[in-house]
Amino acid sequence: LSTRDQNEIWFDKGERARRNKDWETAISAYEQVNKAGNDYEKALVWIAVSKYRSGKRDEGYRAMVDYLENYVTDSTNTVQGAKEIKRGEATATAGFYRCFHEFASKQYDQVLSSSSDYNERFPDQTSYAPLVLRMVSVSHAEKGDMDAAKAALQTIMSDYPENGVIATLGIEL
């Protein structure tokens, strides 16, 4: 098998294990995807998410932040073509889980700092974006800025009218 085929096989094994919530098998499979693979960055992020979901929350969170703040910004890790598209998917996923961890930990300043512009950075992201904006909105409310909280709610309502987070957020505010 070619290296490309091997990378795809390992990534697919990781995906199956992750969908089955078999975190350790997912991590082991994703770790086999090498840097030359198109899905390498997605594998890095899914390793972090799998660690997070397996209960190693701090370790998974640190890996996501490292990916977003160090790996992606390192000039030796530039990508193009298919890898650029995969990076967009990976950074959107890592950004969501980063926000989720910060919000669950009541680190509202961190949520606002890292995620307030999530919907602008990932305009095609229609599943994570409304959820991130919900966490941003509640974070604003927790900080006492009801105008900003309502503005985030308005963005959800206008940009993601079919999303179910609207009703619950409107009730919370």
Side-chain angles (χ1 to χ4, degrees):
L1 292 173
S2 70
T3 301
R4 180 178 177 196
D5 290 341
Q6 290 174 5
N7 281 327
E8 288 177 12
I9 290 167
W10 283 115
F11 187 80
D12 289 344
K13 284 182 180 181
E15 292 288 271
R16 281 192 305 278
R18 183 177 56 83
R19 282 192 295 273
N20 290 324
K21 298 181 169 103
D22 183 354
W23 310 119
E24 294 307 317
T25 300
I27 291 166
S28 294
Y30 289 133
E31 286 175 338
Q32 301 304 312
V33 178
N34 72 41
K35 193 170 182 174
N38 285 339
D39 290 312
Y40 177 72
E41 291 190 35
K42 288 176 67 175
L44 290 178
V45 169
W46 287 122
I47 289 168
V49 170
S50 296
K51 287 178 180 180
Y52 188 88
R53 300 284 309 272
S54 74
K56 300 173 188 170
R57 292 189 182 349
D58 290 336
E59 184 180 349
Y61 171 73
R62 282 191 306 273
M64 286 177 243
V65 171
D66 182 61
Y67 169 74
L68 291 166
E69 294 184 1
N70 298 314
Y71 186 88
V72 172
T73 61
D74 185 333
S75 62
T76 63
N77 296 323
T78 58
V79 294
Q80 56 188 12
K83 285 186 177 185
E84 188 172 11
I85 293 166
K86 302 286 185 172
R87 175 174 281 178
E89 295 168 4
T91 55
T93 300
F96 168 78
Y97 279 97
R98 175 185 189 169
C99 180
F100 180 81
H101 175 79
E102 293 166 352
F103 183 77
S105 303
K106 299 184 179 187
Q107 299 173 18
Y108 301 122
D109 287 329
Q110 285 296 106
V111 169
L112 298 175
S113 172
S114 70
S115 304
S116 288
D117 64 344
Y118 184 94
N119 59 311
E120 295 164 10
R121 285 183 288 137
F122 306 106
D124 296 333
Q125 184 49 255
T126 58
S127 55
Y128 288 145
L131 298 171
V132 169
L133 284 172
R134 177 188 178 280
M135 291 183 272
V136 166
S137 180
V138 173
S139 295
H140 280 302
E142 289 290 337
K143 301 286 294 170
D145 189 347
M146 294 308 290
D147 289 339
K150 289 176 183 174
L153 172 61
Q154 185 59 45
T155 300
I156 296 171
M157 290 172 30
S158 63
D159 294 357
Y160 312 99
E162 303 299 319
N163 195 286
V165 302
I166 297 167
T168 60
L169 181 56
I171 291 168
E172 289 174 19
L173 293 179

